Structures are given as C-alpha cells and as structure tokens.
Amino acid sequence: MSRLPSAIDVEKFVEARAFEIHAMEDAMKNAGESSTHRVWQTLPRHLRRRAASHDVRRVPRRLRDKARAEMDPVKKVSKSKVAKRGKAKKLSRTESLSKRQVEKMWLESHLWHAKRMKMENMWGYRLALHPTEKAFRSSHRASVHGSILHDASYFSLIELKGVQKLIEETLLSCCDPQGPNPGSKRYTTGSRSLETHVYKTGCYPFDLLVPATILWRPLDGDAQDNTRSVWLIFHPAAYEEVFSTIQESAVIAVEAARRRKSDGGFDIEIIDLRSHVNIFELMGPKSNQVLKGVLKPISQDNRSSFRQFWSALADMPCSGSLPRGMVIGFKVIDPRLEFPHQNAKPKLDNRKYPFLVPEGGLANSEIWDQSIRLGLSKPRFKKMELDQRRSQSLVPGTPVNPLRQDDRIPLLLIQYSLENTTNESRSLHGWRLIVPAGWSMAFFSSLVFTGTRVGGQRERQTQAFEAGLTYFPRDFPFTRGYTTYSDERENDERGYWNRKPPAKRVNYTKLGIRSPWRADWEVILGLSDEDFVTTQRDDSMDVSLARDTIRPCLLQGPLMKEFNKLRRGFGLDPLIVKSGELLQGALMPVSINMCKRGMPEEMDTIHIMGDEEASKWMKAMQRHRSLAMLTEADDDSPEELSVFRPPHSTIVGYVTTGNYSLSRSKGFAIGAISLSRMIELEEQIARYEIYNLLYSMT
C-alpha cells in the first residue's frame, strides 16, 4: 500500500491508457455485432446489395476478409458438362445486350437503374418506376430541401430547320393560343424556352395531343443566313401524332408561302433527334450547388454574361431566382477527370447576387451542331484509361489535369420550374441538363456521387402532384396517351380482381358501381347510351344536338370563352361549332382539397351537391370549427352527413390523381369535371356568397 500514489491525475491516467480503452471498446463492439449481425447487415442501406450474402465482391474491400470468414463453405455439385460456344461464335457483351432490346429500347443508364429500381416497359422503353428501397418520403424531402435526379432521356425530340417565317407559321397552327406566341422575340432569340400544348393542326380547342417545350437555336453574331432551328421536346407517348401534325402544319405553311411568293426558301426539314441527346432533370434547392460542383467550364469561355452567371450560381437559394425558362449554353471538361465531385458551398456572408437577364449569346452552344454531336458520340478515353492516369498522381485523390486531347462537351442548361399560381401549392425549381448522346453515365455517375437521390416515374409524378399540376398522360383525358394508360390500368386492376375468390373481393354490383376500373368520360358528358344518368341538365340547352357532332375536349387554362379571338391571334380560321356542342363536350381540370380527414384516390367519383345538402355541410363545418361542437351533438355533423350515399345523377367527374399530400399534410386530388356542371357550381357559390353577405348584415 505504501507504493500506491496518494493522488491520481485523471487526465494523464486516461491519456496513458487511451490505447487500452479504445481496444476494449472495439472488442466489445465487434463481439456484439458479430453475434447478431453479419457484415453486409452493418452497412448503410444505400450500400447494401442483394448478392452480398453470398458474393464477397459485393461487400466493401475493408470488410471482405471478415465476410469471407462468415460464409459457409460451398459444396460443389457435379453438373453435366455443356458444350461451350466457340470463340468464333461467342457473342460479345454488347451484342448479347442488344439482343435483349427487341421490343423496347434501353437508356444509357439502364444497367445502373436495373440494379436499384423496379423496371417496366413503357412507351417503347425500359424505364424505372421507383427505387426498390423505401424512398417515397425521402425523395419528397430531397425535392423540397435537397436535390433529386431523373433521367428523362426517353423524351422525344424533333428538330425543325428552315426559314424563320415558315417555322413560326408551322408552330402557330398547332400550338396553344392561350399560351405565349412561339414566334415572339422573347423566345426566337433562344434565350428562353417556351412551355405550351400541342394540338392537331387548326383544331384548337379540340384534339389536344401533349404538353411540349419549344426551344429556338440562338443566332450567331455574324450569321447572315435566315435559316433557323427549333427543338420540340415532348412525351414519347404522343410521338407519332406530334410528328404527323408537324408534317401537316409544315405542308400548309409551305403552300401558303408559295402562294404569296415570299422571299426565301420554301422547305422545312423535320429531323428525328431521338437518341441524339440525353436529358436530365435535377430538381431541388441544392441543384445549383450540385451543378457548380460537377460541371467545370473550359477556361477559354470569355463571355462576361456567363462568368457572371457561373460565379453567382452556387450563392442562389434555388433556380427559381432566375427568369423562367432561362437557357445557358457552354462547354465543360470531361466530368470523370475530377471524380468524385463535391457540392459547391454557398457564401453565407454574401446574400447578394447579380440580376441576370436572358441573352442569346449566353444561350449559344455547339450541341446544336450535328457534326459535333456525332463526333462526341463516343468518349475518346475509357474509364480504365482515366483511372490509369489518376493512379500515376503522386498525391492520391488529386484530380487529373485535362490534356489537349481530352474531350470538351457542349451542353445546355434550362431553368425548369413546377409551379401553380392558381392554388396554394409548393413550387419546385430545378434544371434540365441536355448533353450529347454517349455521355449519359459520365454525367449521371458524377451527379449521383454528390449525394443526389435518383427518382423514377413515381417520383417525377409526385413532384407534379405536390405542385398541384396535371401530369401527362394520366391527367389528360381524350388523349391517345391517356387512352393507352387507362387501358393498361383497367387490364391490371380487372385481372387482379378476377384472381381473387368471390368471397374475398369487392362486390361492385352490390355497391352500385358500374365501371370500377375505367373512367366513363363519355357517359359523364352524355355522349354514350348507358345506364348512367347524364350530368347535362341545363334545360336551356338544345337537347336535340346530334351526339355524332359533339367533340369532347379538355380545356387548359382559366379562359373558357373567346376561342375565336384566340384563334385569330394565331392566324387560325374561326371555330365553326355551336355553343351548346362546345359546352356539352368540354372537361375542365380541377384540384380538390379535403376539408377534414380522408384521402382521395384515383378513379374516385366527383359529385355535386344540391342547395339543401350544401347548406347542411356549410353549417356542419362551421359548428365543427367552433367550440360548440365539443359540447353538443347533432344529426347534421360531418360524420353523419358523410354516411349518405349520393345518387349517380350527381356524378360530374372523376379523380385522375389522388393521394395524401406531404406538402399540404392532408388529402389532395387532381381530376376533371364537366364544364356545364362547373358553371352550375360557380353559380351555386355565388348564391351562397350573397347569402352570407346578407346574413352578416342582419
């Protein structure tokens, strides 16, 4: 006892025994994990692989020895030898993958998606539906607070080449007159992209085809030629219809120019540019920092407007700070040279950034030149060769310096927003990145390694749903894409229902539901003879209208009148149709917010209430918001009123997209209703506003 010190310095004692303490903690941790978890179970979810339990190469290298020790010895099973294919007849990997693309096409990032996503054949492509992991809420958070990436290279792209006047007349005859003029100087300079709808030639407001993006090629400063180029980017479900419509509109424009004997050429070249470029959609407030960290512009770009934009990109809160549809074109070095990338950090001490104006010189890019795109269709150096150059660096992790023979890739950045000004919805802002074909994985891998999430079709549709916007094709009745979608959905739902035994499936006949798997828009509009009461109940309407002459349509935008005035603005002939026919065959897209609990779903019916029932609901909701609801009960409470089953005669439309909205924290839906009943509903609202005003004055 005499040798023990009288006092102990705890700090020095712990420092002297730090190694032993850490060794004991590691031993306790490893002993606990080894008894309850295998190696691949200790990895984070985004690094786990399905084959990791039996394939050591699926585990990170630092854990492979431990994983190899955990695996059971493999018992070799004798198999009958099969004659191997000779070297001369052996197919290469490219040929074997090409044989699998018979009825569908693969995107360049297909193999990456196929390992991590649920895949399905859609619109002639093999596309990703959604991630295999639980990613619904996390993908929404990424689009609102972070960044999320979607490979939209399956979108169709058509290029028009010719005299500017002929191209303008071609677009005017098939674009939406309610939107901006595609031939206005605001867009012909190429500094902005135009979001519009494409109709059949001269058929507005009927025969809606698809939403589309129009992009003009900027003019060079020294260009004297009047030949211009325009890109049309739209959904692949309507490619055949849009291509034939553009051809028809171009023929009409050329014939009109020849009759006028106007100066210039009389030819318009229509080029199919599918598989010529790759398109990425990067959404979220951090998309600016992601692009600034991944893309490295060439040092030879001396444009002052571009330098101003690029220096302020990372400091902007989101791309919504820029003008809508702004286009930026520039060249970047191969992103694989500085792989992996890190997001650029904004300057928190400097919240001011310059006001940027779209310019044609800022939007100019060599990606419009077909010869340059074809020259870049295959990267000059493989990833293996770049890795060899990286391994020769004296300091590990140092970026590879670009050489003169390295590729310089031209690209386009287009500001892209999902926003709805008509209701209280959260707007989402981001970018569309367009790169030449052959460079998808070079940019895709670099964007993913910055921590950006990857979404499929479900995530892209959810973004439009949270923004309160219609999504093509499921929210566009009477279009070819919607018809195909509804047919496939009906076959799937009907097959699932038939596979269930009668005692375990819903009896739609007993519930009085005539069409549970398909929306009967023709019946809603009174254009079909079914055991379903029509919603057209306006006595002033001429009921003797021939149903064959009524053309159904889906109206876009807030304007429902003065169609001929809009058509004249685009140089179209007046619309020869009776007002009763237009009123009876029209649908209006609507958004639905739930007052209380409840979540609407697709195929739910939309009903209109009578004045008496509407007054009961208004009084019930007012009492529900007050404290009196807590002390007294009433037969007209919202719970009692919701039990009432409305008759079929009150059905005015269907829900096309419905779910629980994460941004609104309640149920939300997008649908379409009959225009005639929409007018009745507005009249009913006006009556109750007058009633409430008189009630408040007494």
Side-chain angles (χ1 to χ4, degrees):
M1 297 295 294
S2 59
R3 297 181 180 180
L4 295 178
S6 59
I8 296 179
D9 189 343
V10 178
E11 185 176 355
K12 292 183 179 180
F13 182 80
V14 172
E15 289 179 355
R17 302 295 189 273
F19 178 79
E20 300 176 6
I21 294 174
H22 290 314
M24 183 181 65
E25 290 180 349
D26 293 340
M28 294 171 60
K29 181 180 179 181
N30 294 334
E33 290 182 353
S34 61
S35 60
T36 58
H37 295 80
R38 298 177 69 90
V39 171
W40 60 273
Q41 291 177 317
T42 60
L43 297 173
R45 288 188 176 273
H46 68 280
L47 290 179
R48 296 183 186 180
R49 297 294 179 265
R50 181 181 58 182
S53 59
H54 60 81
D55 191 352
V56 181
R57 294 172 296 178
R58 299 292 184 178
V59 181
R61 187 172 298 177
R62 60 184 176 83
L63 300 174
R64 288 180 183 176
D65 294 337
K66 186 177 180 181
R68 191 177 290 107
E70 291 180 353
M71 289 186 178
D72 299 330
V74 180
K75 297 180 180 180
K76 294 185 178 180
V77 180
S78 60
K79 297 181 180 179
S80 58
K81 294 184 178 180
V82 181
K84 296 183 179 180
R85 186 189 295 265
K87 291 185 179 181
K89 298 182 179 180
K90 187 176 182 180
L91 297 177
S92 63
R93 187 170 185 266
T94 303
E95 293 175 345
S96 62
L97 294 179
S98 299
K99 290 181 64 177
R100 298 167 59 183
Q101 305 180 45
V102 178
E103 298 180 354
K104 71 276 186 183
M105 292 180 60
W106 288 1
L107 303 182
E108 294 181 16
S109 59
H110 170 81
L111 295 180
W112 191 96
H113 284 91
K115 297 175 182 178
R116 302 164 178 85
M117 302 254 185
K118 171 67 176 176
M119 310 295 291
E120 188 173 311
N121 295 337
M122 305 174 70
W123 313 304
Y125 293 88
R126 186 72 174 175
L127 302 179
L129 286 181
H130 56 80
T132 54
E133 62 177 353
K134 294 182 179 179
F136 189 83
R137 289 179 178 267
S138 57
S139 298
H140 172 71
R141 287 194 297 268
S143 63
V144 175
H145 303 292
S147 59
I148 184 169
L149 177 66
H150 176 72
D151 189 354
S153 303
Y154 56 90
F155 264 55
S156 298
L157 178 60
I158 294 178
E159 182 177 10
L160 302 181
K161 276 187 177 182
V163 182
Q164 179 175 345
K165 183 64 175 178
L166 293 180
I167 295 179
E168 292 179 2
E169 294 178 357
T170 301
L171 296 177
L172 287 175
S173 61
C174 60
C175 288
D176 190 356
Q178 292 185 193
N181 191 328
S184 61
K185 191 176 180 180
R186 179 184 180 91
Y187 301 104
T188 54
T189 58
S191 59
R192 299 173 185 261
S193 63
L194 169 63
E195 301 292 335
T196 184
H197 295 87
V198 178
Y199 292 80
K200 286 188 178 181
T201 305
C203 292
Y204 171 83
F206 305 103
D207 298 328
L208 172 64
L209 298 182
V210 67
T213 301
I214 298 178
L215 183 62
W216 288 80
R217 180 177 183 176
L219 281 174
D220 296 333
D222 301 332
Q224 300 296 332
D225 191 6
N226 196 26
T227 302
R228 299 295 303 274
S229 298
V230 176
W231 280 359
L232 268 74
I233 306 173
F234 54 92
H235 199 276
Y239 172 76
E240 291 81 4
E241 292 181 308
V242 173
F243 195 86
S244 61
T245 298
I246 294 296
Q247 285 181 327
E248 182 181 356
S249 301
V251 170
I252 296 175
V254 170
E255 291 178 352
R258 287 176 177 173
R259 288 193 299 267
R260 295 193 306 264
K261 296 181 180 181
S262 58
D263 298 334
F266 299 104
D267 294 330
I268 296 180
E269 187 178 359
I270 304 175
I271 307 173
D272 179 13
L273 292 186
R274 290 180 300 177
S275 303
H276 282 238
V277 297
N278 292 308
I279 304 176
F280 299 108
E281 292 181 354
L282 187 63
M283 304 298 295
K286 291 187 178 180
S287 56
N288 292 357
Q289 289 79 19
V290 172
L291 292 176
K292 184 69 176 292
V294 172
L295 304 179
K296 304 299 178 183
I298 60 176
S299 58
Q300 293 80 8
D301 196 340
N302 297 322
R303 295 174 298 174
S304 59
S305 57
F306 175 73
R307 290 177 177 269
Q308 188 180 22
F309 161 77
W310 194 252
S311 61
L313 179 62
D315 300 333
M316 297 179 185
C318 66
S319 66
S321 304
L322 295 171
R324 298 297 179 262
M326 183 176 179
V327 182
I328 301 96
F330 55 100
K331 269 187 176 182
V332 297
I333 63 175
D334 192 340
R336 299 174 297 173
L337 297 177
E338 296 194 10
F339 186 85
H341 300 268
Q342 294 183 354
N343 295 341
K345 296 182 180 179
K347 299 177 183 178
L348 300 179
D349 56 342
N350 185 15
R351 293 286 182 177
K352 297 181 179 179
Y353 46 88
F355 178 73
L356 300 173
V357 180
E359 300 176 1
L362 180 61
N364 202 358
S365 175
E366 294 181 357
I367 197 174
W368 288 89
D369 195 340
Q370 185 176 0
S371 60
I372 295 179
R373 290 198 307 266
L374 295 178
L376 292 170
S377 59
K378 186 176 181 181
R380 185 171 301 179
F381 296 103
K382 297 182 180 179
K383 183 178 180 298
M384 177 186 65
E385 298 173 348
L386 297 179
D387 291 340
Q388 290 177 354
R389 289 169 54 182
R390 186 178 289 107
S391 63
Q392 296 174 0
S393 301
L394 297 179
V395 180
T398 304
V400 180
N401 294 325
L403 303 178
R404 183 173 55 86
Q405 60 269 26
D406 286 330
D407 293 314
R408 270 70 174 175
I409 306 99
L411 51 82
L412 282 177
L413 270 181
I414 305 176
Q415 195 279 338
Y416 183 60
S417 295
L418 296 174
E419 53 185 352
N420 190 351
T421 58
T422 59
N423 54 23
E424 298 178 359
S425 301
R426 181 187 293 272
S427 300
L428 301 178
H429 306 281
W431 296 93
R432 272 184 175 174
L433 175 63
I434 303 179
V435 300
W439 288 91
S440 176
M441 285 307 300
F443 286 89
F444 187 83
S445 301
S446 300
L447 293 171
V448 170
F449 268 77
T450 59
T452 302
R453 295 195 67 89
V454 181
Q457 296 296 320
R458 183 188 66 181
E459 284 69 29
R460 189 174 189 272
Q461 177 198 336
T462 303
Q463 294 173 12
F465 173 74
E466 295 292 345
L469 299 176
T470 53
Y471 184 78
F472 187 86
R474 63 182 302 163
D475 295 330
F476 285 78
F478 303 129
T479 60
R480 183 177 178 182
Y482 176 82
T483 302
T484 304
Y485 165 77
S486 59
D487 291 342
E488 294 177 353
R489 184 186 183 280
E490 180 183 10
N491 294 334
D492 295 341
E493 295 292 335
R494 186 189 296 272
Y496 179 75
W497 185 81
N498 289 330
R499 287 191 298 269
K500 283 187 175 183
K504 301 296 181 181
R505 64 191 182 193
V506 180
N507 191 341
Y508 294 111
T509 304
K510 185 176 181 180
L511 295 176
I513 302 176
R514 193 190 63 83
S515 180
W517 305 292
R518 188 183 185 90
D520 287 330
W521 299 110
E522 291 79 7
V523 180
I524 289 292
L525 298 175
L527 307 180
S528 176
D529 290 325
E530 299 287 347
D531 56 344
F532 197 81
V533 181
T534 176
T535 62
Q536 307 301 327
R537 304 181 61 87
D538 190 357
D539 297 335
S540 62
M541 186 186 303
D542 186 6
V543 296
S544 63
L545 293 174
R547 293 179 178 178
D548 296 338
T549 62
I550 299 175
R551 302 170 62 185
C553 63
L554 177 67
L555 302 182
Q556 298 293 326
L559 298 178
M560 297 184 295
K561 300 179 181 180
E562 301 182 354
F563 288 112
N564 288 332
K565 181 178 179 181
L566 295 172
R567 291 171 64 89
R568 284 193 299 269
F570 272 44
L572 302 177
D573 296 332
L575 186 66
I576 304 176
V577 63
K578 297 180 180 180
S579 59
E581 296 178 1
L582 180 61
L583 185 63
Q584 184 173 356
L587 289 176
M588 278 294 297
V590 294
S591 59
I592 304 171
N593 288 282
M594 304 301 291
C595 297
K596 291 183 62 180
R597 294 179 297 177
M599 184 184 70
E601 296 180 353
E602 187 179 357
M603 287 295 301
D604 286 352
T605 54
I606 303 175
H607 297 258
I608 188 172
M609 294 185 292
D611 293 347
E612 182 180 356
E613 185 180 0
S615 61
K616 291 182 179 179
W617 271 102
M618 293 180 66
K619 293 178 181 179
M621 295 305 298
Q622 291 176 359
R623 287 197 301 268
H624 175 72
R625 296 188 184 97
S626 62
L627 297 177
M629 188 66 183
L630 301 176
T631 57
E632 61 182 36
D634 195 351
D635 294 338
D636 291 339
S637 63
E639 289 75 11
E640 295 293 336
L641 291 174
S642 61
V643 180
F644 173 71
R645 182 182 300 174
H648 285 170
S649 59
T650 61
I651 299 178
V652 296
Y654 285 94
V655 170
T656 55
T657 301
N659 206 335
Y660 183 83
S661 176
L662 298 176
S663 60
R664 300 172 181 83
S665 300
K666 61 180 180 180
F668 179 74
I670 297 173
I673 65 174
S674 169
L675 177 58
S676 60
R677 282 304 182 91
M678 178 81 171
I679 297 175
E680 293 182 14
L681 183 60
E682 291 180 351
E683 294 175 353
Q684 187 183 54
I685 295 174
R687 289 197 302 269
Y688 276 98
E689 288 179 352
I690 296 175
Y691 170 77
N692 292 333
L693 179 62
L694 295 176
Y695 180 79
S696 60
M697 294 174 62
T698 57

